Amino acid sequence: MSLFITFEGGEGSGKSVQARALYRKLSRLAMPAILTHEPGVTPLGRKVARWLKWGDDMAISPLAELMLFNVSRAQLVSEVIMPGLKSGRVVICDRYADSTTAYQSYGRGLDLSAVRAVNEAAIQGLHPDLTVLLDIPVEVGLGRKKGEKRDRFEQEALAFHRRVRQGYLALARAEPDRWLVVAAEKSKEEIADIIWNRVKKLLSKKP
């Protein structure tokens, strides 16, 4: 009953909360599942994550960001995601290739076709069955981060985050069958119910 589900969204959207909620739901139902995230699960990914998110003492160009995220992603696919799916598990991933398209292409301005080509090489043909987008106004999402130490991306200007949000929405419009867009300002319980109803339908179609 393998199924690959990814969670996407801007800063403060609550995607990590919902990814964990779905994992707990599956676990309570005794459905084998794996919860992972980008970047930073594999030993290589953890090193890359430190550079990308907390490397305030060094400049990282948009192209270098693209490459670093996909270095981590390629390892995650090979080491965690593909083995999990092959063993018949539901694999839940907090961020995946769509994050790079939204942040590095729409946000940073890298050529969309180039970003997609690098992403495709890293994911080795492995696309999600379902991508959940927790959509939230930029100011609201960032407001949820007040009082927390902000990483390199959270420190970006509002214009950057607005481009990322519009990028996500454009990706969702282009593939409506794969994406589930949920207003992240709803209650956590309501969001979880919406997601679970969609996941149940997918699970029912699995042999």
Side-chain angles (χ1 to χ4, degrees), residues 104-144:
Q104 276 64 55
S105 182
Y106 288 90
R108 298 291 195 210
L110 291 179
D111 179 74
L112 181 59
S113 60
V115 170
R116 283 177 167 161
V118 176
N119 286 348
E120 283 296 319
I123 66 174
Q124 304 163 60
L126 185 58
H127 294 271
D129 297 293
L130 171 66
T131 298
V132 178
L133 172 60
L134 277 297
D135 179 51
I136 193 167
V138 166
E139 293 84 354
V140 177
L142 290 173
R144 293 176 174 180

Side-chain angles (χ1 to χ4, degrees), residues 77-207:
V77 168
S78 297
E79 191 173 321
V80 178
I81 299 176
M82 278 189 173
L85 293 172
K86 287 178 180 177
S87 68
R89 297 174 183 272
V90 177
V91 177
I92 302 165
C93 192
D94 180 353
R95 293 204 184 280
Y96 193 54
D98 294 303
S99 278
T100 300
T101 306
Y103 278 76
Q104 276 64 55
S105 182
Y106 288 90
R108 298 291 195 210
L110 291 179
D111 179 74
L112 181 59
S113 60
V115 170
R116 283 177 167 161
V118 176
N119 286 348
E120 283 296 319
I123 66 174
Q124 304 163 60
L126 185 58
H127 294 271
D129 297 293
L130 171 66
T131 298
V132 178
L133 172 60
L134 277 297
D135 179 51
I136 193 167
V138 166
E139 293 84 354
V140 177
L142 290 173
R144 293 176 174 180
K145 296 282 185 175
K146 284 184 179 178
E148 299 179 18
K149 183 180 178 182
R150 295 192 173 191
D151 64 30
R152 287 178 63 252
F153 295 98
E154 292 164 348
Q155 292 175 36
E156 288 289 343
L158 286 176
F160 170 82
H161 293 287
R162 290 189 181 113
R163 292 193 300 270
V164 170
R165 184 189 183 195
Q166 292 308 310
Y168 272 130
L169 293 172
L171 293 173
R173 286 193 300 270
E175 291 186 80
D177 291 340
R178 173 166 72 91
W179 289 76
L180 171 63
V181 182
V182 184
E185 291 178 282
K186 295 178 184 290
S187 71
K188 293 178 183 178
E189 294 76 17
E190 189 175 0
I191 293 171
D193 286 343
I194 292 170
I195 294 169
W196 178 241
N197 285 334
R198 181 66 170 269
V199 171
K200 274 196 306 186
K201 290 178 182 178
L202 288 173
L203 289 170
S204 69
K205 296 176 181 177
K206 290 288 179 176

Side-chain angles (χ1 to χ4, degrees), residues 39 44 48 51-52 60-75 100 104 110 114-115 117-119 121-122:
L44 175 61
V48 171
W51 298 333
L52 284 167
I60 303 177
S61 72
L63 184 58
E65 278 184 357
L66 170 65
M67 298 302 181
L68 284 169
F69 273 115
N70 277 294
V71 163
S72 174
R73 180 169 298 127
Q75 190 67 26
T100 300
Q104 276 64 55
L110 291 179
V115 170
V118 176
N119 286 348

